């Protein structure tokens, strides 16, 4: 039944799913119209809200470009690439490849969403290449979708935007709820059991069952991204002459800067504990890549090669900033959440929080930005109903990531790395979204 459901949604996605840039434009129009119909905002006011939000993701856009290019460059370093290729060559069927890719993506995403996104994308690419070389038949779009599936679990883990926010002294809700340690959110039995259910069972098993069994239903990387089968060496044209300029591309520069970076990384983690925010992940990726590529010019060549996939992020993120501006500044977000929470009871609040977060995530695809809007309302209702705020933060995080399987915003980096179109993978992602619903309801309602 899951295989049939995957086929239905895949066919639907192939036929009707627009390119991510068109999806962003359509979502902008829908948000604009909803703002006019459901709030007292005028056309001029909504235009102002759109522009006010348009550049709010500018620094985040650069962070995402950096995570894409530094992560990709790190994975293409000879030592790392060899390890990934060895693991990617293990599956002997499309079903095994899909399940393994989903498991790898989910494990890394639980620790850090950006790490999981890049690892999942690169692992899916290498699975596709390894299968082609070995003559193993698989369904490449399904493997890529599995590489994206980790984005459904990250907000339950230690990089939880909401969990880290409320654990930080001086956060914007401290007067209302105080400091809530990470042991009551990401490391609570409630969050860990829900995470384990998704990572070890729901996600990999769903992708295993969705995999086509008939050979005529399989389509490898050569049909979707043949350009990646050409093993081009980005250092083929490197200057190896004995000139002074060429000899300045020295490993000693790498040694000096790795020492500086290592010193700062030690200071960061000794001061902040296991704080894997986006800046420190990019910092670590950048200098690990430099170390593994050995010289600055070789690393520059790898980054140049990786940057080819960043165009979608650069163009589309400002439009999502505009959507977020309209949703938050017009009051649409509060209307959505209030409507959901008005029917909540102590027993149903976690599930309602999950669903409302999933709905809002389609319009505000940023965990931290969404918590800033939804957090005050959820915290107040939780306290009124006598429900643990830590429990509601976990439910919120589950919802925030659940509809990533419908929203192609986070897939942009993955699409750039793997060479597929959003319509090729979103049908399988939407199948996972639907299959996971009863597990979310059971886990969020009954787990201790």
């Amino acid at each position: 039944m899951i295989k049939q459901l995957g086929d239905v949604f895949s066919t639907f996605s192939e036929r009707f799913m627009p390119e991510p840039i068109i999806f962003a434009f359509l979502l902008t129009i829908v948000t604009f119209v909803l703002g006019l119909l459901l709030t007292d905002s005028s056309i001029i006011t909504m235009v102002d809200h759109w522009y006010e939000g348009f550049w709010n993701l500018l620094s985040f856009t650069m962070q995402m470009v950096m995570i894409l290019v530094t992560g990709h460059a790190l994975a293409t370093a000879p030592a790392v690439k060899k390890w990934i290729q060895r693991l990617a060559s293990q599956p002997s069927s499309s079903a095994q490849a899909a399940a393994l890719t989903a498991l790898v993506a989910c494990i890394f995403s639980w620790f850090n969403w950006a790490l999981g996104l890049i690892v999942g994308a690169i692992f899916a690419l290498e699975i596709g290449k390894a299968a082609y070389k070995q003559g193993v038949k698989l369904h490449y779009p399904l493997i890529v979708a599995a590489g994206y599936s980790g984005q459904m679990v990250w907000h339950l883990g230690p990089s939880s935007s909401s969990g880290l926010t409320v654990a930080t002294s001086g956060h914007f809700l401290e007067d209302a709820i105080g400091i809530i340690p990470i042991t009551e959110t990401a490391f609570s039995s409630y969050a860990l059991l829900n995470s384990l259910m998704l990572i070890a069972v729901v996600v990999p098993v769903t992708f295993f069952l969705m995999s086509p069994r008939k050979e005529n239903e399989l389509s490898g990387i050569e049909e979707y991204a043949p350009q990646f089968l050409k093993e081009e060496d980005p250092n083929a044209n490197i200057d190896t002459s004995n000139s002074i300029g060429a000899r300045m591309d020295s490993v000693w520069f790498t040694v000096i800067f790795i020492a500086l970076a290592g010193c700062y990384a030690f200071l960061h983690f000794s001061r902040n504990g296991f704080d894997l925010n986006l800046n420190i992940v990019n910092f670590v990726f950048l200098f690990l890549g430099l170390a593994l590529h050995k010289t600055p010019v070789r690393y520059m060549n790898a980054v140049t090669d990786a940057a080819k996939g960043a165009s979608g992020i650069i163009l589309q993120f400002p439009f999502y900033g505009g959507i977020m501006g309209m949703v938050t500044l017009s009051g649409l977000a509060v209307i959505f959440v209030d409507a959901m929470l008005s029917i909540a009871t102590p027993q149903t609040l976690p599930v309602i929080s999950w669903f409302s977060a999933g709905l809002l995530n389609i319009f505000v695809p940023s965990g931290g930005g969404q918590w800033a809007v939804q957090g005050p309302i959820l915290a107040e209702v939780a306290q009124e109903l006598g429900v643990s705020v830590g429990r509601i933060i976990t439910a919120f995080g589950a919802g925030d990531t659940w509809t990533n399987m419908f929203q192609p915003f986070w897939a942009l980096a993955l699409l750039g790395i793997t060479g597929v179109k959003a319509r090729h993978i979103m049908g399988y992602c939407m199948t996972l979204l639907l299959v996971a619903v009863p597990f979310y309801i059971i886990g969020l309602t009954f787990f201790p």
Side-chain angles (χ1 to χ4, degrees):
M1 186 177 69
I2 291 177
K3 164 69 169 57
Q4 293 172 339
L5 192 63
D7 289 343
V8 169
F9 276 106
S10 178
T11 301
F12 173 85
S13 178
E14 287 272 1
R15 187 170 182 181
F16 295 107
M17 185 72 184
E19 289 294 314
I21 184 64
I22 303 300
F23 187 92
F25 283 7
L26 289 173
L27 198 57
T28 299
I29 295 169
V30 168
T31 307
F32 193 96
V33 172
L34 287 175
L36 294 177
L37 295 177
L38 301 180
T39 74
D40 57 2
S41 301
S42 66
I43 291 177
I44 299 301
T45 305
M46 288 301 293
V47 170
D48 282 337
H49 293 334
W50 178 63
Y51 183 78
E52 285 182 56
F54 202 81
W55 300 117
N56 281 349
L57 294 179
L58 200 56
S59 60
F60 182 62
T61 301
M62 186 59 186
Q63 287 174 320
M64 283 299 295
V65 170
M66 286 295 293
I67 197 69
L68 187 152
V69 298
T70 57
H72 191 282
L74 175 61
T76 56
V80 178
K81 191 173 184 179
K82 189 178 296 184
W83 178 83
I84 293 176
Q85 289 174 335
R86 187 180 299 118
L87 185 59
S89 65
Q90 298 304 308
S92 57
S93 69
S94 184
Q96 291 179 13
L100 178 61
T101 304
L103 183 62
V104 168
C106 285
I107 290 173
F108 278 93
S109 294
W110 185 84
F111 282 103
N112 181 266
W113 69 266
L115 184 64
L117 181 63
I118 298 302
V119 169
I122 292 172
F123 193 76
L125 175 63
E126 291 301 330
I127 284 269
K129 291 162 67 175
Y132 176 78
K133 292 175 183 177
Q134 297 171 356
V136 174
K137 295 290 186 179
L138 53 72
H139 193 47
Y140 184 59
L142 180 69
I143 307 304
V144 175
Y148 183 54
S149 65
Q151 295 307 294
M152 201 172 82
V153 303
W154 75 267
H155 209 147
L156 291 170
S159 67
S160 161
S161 297
S162 54
L164 292 176
T165 296
V166 299
T168 304
S169 177
H171 70 86
F172 70 96
L173 288 176
E174 184 175 356
D175 290 342
I177 62 175
I179 304 296
I180 299 178
I182 200 76
T183 53
E184 294 184 22
T185 53
F187 292 124
S188 66
S189 61
Y190 186 63
L192 291 173
L193 287 171
N194 276 286
S195 297
L196 184 63
M197 175 184 67
L198 293 169
I199 295 171
V201 181
V202 177
V203 179
V205 171
T206 299
F207 275 98
F208 183 89
L209 295 175
M210 276 196 291
S211 184
R213 300 300 194 273
K214 298 177 182 178
E215 188 166 322
N216 64 348
E217 295 177 328
L218 301 173
S219 48
I221 188 174
E222 67 277 8
E223 296 185 35
Y224 293 91
Q227 68 273 23
F228 293 123
L229 295 175
K230 303 173 185 176
E231 294 290 346
E232 297 179 355
D233 182 5
N235 297 311
N237 297 321
I238 199 167
D239 186 355
T240 57
S241 68
N242 201 35
S243 67
I244 294 176
R247 282 185 292 166
M248 289 180 71
D249 181 31
S250 169
V251 71
W252 286 109
F253 279 119
T254 302
V255 170
I256 292 169
F257 282 95
I258 291 301
L260 289 172
C263 180
Y264 178 75
F266 174 80
L267 292 173
H268 173 83
F269 290 113
S270 63
R271 291 166 178 165
N272 305 298
F274 191 65
D275 176 22
L276 279 178
N277 61 61
L278 195 52
N279 284 335
I280 195 65
V281 169
N282 275 329
F283 186 79
V284 171
F285 272 23
L286 193 156
F287 287 100
L288 271 180
L290 175 60
L292 291 170
H293 283 280
K294 297 182 180 178
T295 70
V297 173
R298 288 179 181 274
Y299 186 48
M300 184 67 215
N301 289 341
V303 169
T304 300
D305 189 54
K308 297 173 184 176
S311 58
I313 295 173
I314 294 169
L315 175 62
Q316 294 179 52
F317 272 36
F319 286 95
Y320 279 102
I323 293 167
M324 290 171 62
M326 289 189 289
V327 169
T328 57
L329 296 174
S330 69
L332 273 174
V334 175
I335 291 173
F336 290 161
V337 177
D338 280 347
M340 292 287 178
L341 295 179
S342 64
I343 59 172
T345 67
Q347 290 72 35
T348 62
L349 182 60
V351 170
I352 290 175
S353 300
W354 158 74
F355 187 79
S356 64
L359 178 63
L360 192 56
N361 179 60
I362 297 172
F363 298 90
V364 188
S366 166
Q370 188 175 335
W371 177 248
V373 174
Q374 202 167 351
I377 305 169
L378 290 177
E380 181 180 349
V381 174
Q383 290 176 320
E384 288 178 1
L385 296 178
V387 180
S388 162
V389 176
R391 196 175 181 89
I392 296 308
I393 289 171
T394 298
F396 161 83
D400 171 56
T401 52
W402 171 53
T403 47
N404 283 343
M405 295 302 101
F406 174 78
Q407 165 61 268
F409 176 82
W410 295 112
L412 294 175
L414 172 130
L415 299 176
I417 290 172
T418 58
V420 300
K421 302 290 187 182
R423 58 186 172 84
H424 296 145
I425 70 167
M426 294 311 293
Y428 300 113
C429 294
M430 287 186 279
T431 302
L432 174 62
L433 177 146
L434 190 61
V435 168
V437 168
F439 295 95
Y440 275 120
I441 293 174
I442 292 169
L444 294 172
T445 302
F446 298 108
F447 283 173

